Every structure is written in C-alpha cells, then in structure tokens.
Amino acid sequence: MSKAKFGVVVFPGSNCDHDAYYVLKNLLNQDVKFLWHKDSSVGDRNVIVLPGGFSYGDYLRCGAIARFSPLMKDILKFAEKGGIVIGICNGFQILCEAGLLPGALLRNQSLRFICKTVRLKIENKDSKFTNSFTKDLIDLPVAHGEGNYYCDEETLNELRDKNRIVFRYSENPNGSLDDIAGICNEKGNVLGMMPHPERAAESIIGGTDGKFIFQSIINSLN
Amino acid sequence: MGYEKVTDTRIGKYIELMLDVTSENEARQITEEICRKLLANPVMEDYNFEIVNLNGNVQS
C-alpha cells in the first residue's frame, strides 16, 4: 500500500493541526506536511485536512475569514478535480463558508460550548471516509460552540436522497438539523464533520474509532 | 419588567464602513458586494444597509 500525501492546513488560530499530523504520521505512518494558509498551492499533496480550531479568532463568523486565505483558492480547484478534502470542526465551518459544502453551522441550541464524547451513527459506509468501519456506531469527541448544522429544506432533501449525510448523532447535542454530524459533497470527495476523529485515534486517550476515518481515506487512494 | 408594549426583539451585527468614493451609486455597489462576499452568510443571515453621505467632513 503506497503512502498517502496528506497536507494539514495551518490557519492562524488552528489548534488541532498537530493532533491530525501526529495521527497521520506517527500512528498511520503516512507522508504528512503542514501547509501554511498563505501558501499558493497544495503542491503534491493528495489529501487536504482542514483542522479544528478557531481560525482568525472566529471573528465575524466561524470560518468566514479563513475561506479567503490564499491557499483556499487552490483547495477549491483541488476539490473540483476530485481531490480528497476533510474538514473537521472549524474545518467543516470553513468548507461551508467556502461553498464546498452546503449549509452553515449555527450556535449550539443551548448557546453553550459543548465538549464531550458523543455516539455517532455511520449512515454511509461506502464513502471514501468510512469504508474501513465494520460497525455502525462509533464514539468521537465534539468540542464546539457552533455545531448546529442548518440548511434549507431543498438542500436537506438532496443530502438525504443522495446519501450525503455521512454521520448522524445518536443523541443530538447541539440542535443540528436532522441530527447531522457530518456531510459530504455530491462527488463524495469532500467531507465536513463536527466531531474530532484526530482526538480519538489511540486507546490511551480514550478511543480508536477516529483512526478508521483516516484509514478509510488511505484505503480509497489505493 | 413590565414593558408590555415590546412585542418583538432581535439581536444582530451592526457594521460601519467608511468608503472613499465619489457617488452614492458607487458606495452602494461596493457595499452590496462586500455584504454578499463576506459580511453576511445568506444561508443563515439577512442584511440591509444605509448609505450616509459624510460630505468629506470625516478625516482619518
């Protein structure tokens, strides 16, 4: 199996970039590089990770400023050509702001930051991001103030009909529409999810379910 | 608190932009574009704006 070339994007305020790098490099033995948000090209990378955090301090709206980073222009082109992009938490918010995924992430219904492990249902096990799971229910941590997914009814119907809802919460923590925790684009090469797989990839820190998401990406490239 | 005449309320963002332009039309065009591209996310937000002519009295 050849190594995937992951690029983990670093925005000012990203704080899960090193976690993602560590999982990909140390646990999965992949070729990983950080990409600075001011870079102009993704270079030879074949998977892009938009990590969690608080890019640009969440000013204006979460992800609203990061989408204008110079590198995002090339990531849009990369995604259009079918390149794999995974946006986690703030990365999901950036993908929505950038228009690579539909909808938006609103304030949690409780108006409070939520930080806990949640149970997720894998709704689509054929995706590039879930093909290595053998079970239907997984546990991953969430840590967000704005994870309440919203889109209009037409978009929701499309997400349902085209099997684009990849993860649903078993118990909705944030008011998210239709219990949505993660969705993909129509071609299936761009995933956005609020839970953090990079924080649950080895048993010593509480779980390994997250590792299978990255493993699935690697499988889909081989 | 007894303010029974209040029938509705909303909280939003209020943003002021200073523009160095020569016509209201130009100001309107630029503001509209900035609102659409950055300041508002039309998936979840509405926006409207007013143009106020400062007649060059404001100096930075």
Side-chain angles (χ1 to χ4, degrees), chain A residues 60-61 64 67-68 97 103-106 150, chain B residues 13 15 36-41 43-45:
Chain A
L60 191 64
R61 291 181 307 277
R67 71 160 272 219
F68 290 102
E97 285 283 344
L105 283 311
L106 310 182
Y150 170 79
Chain B
K13 291 174 189 154
I15 299 169
R36 192 163 30 81
K37 277 194 188 165
L38 173 68
L39 297 181
N41 179 341
V43 176
M44 54 182 176
E45 294 168 325

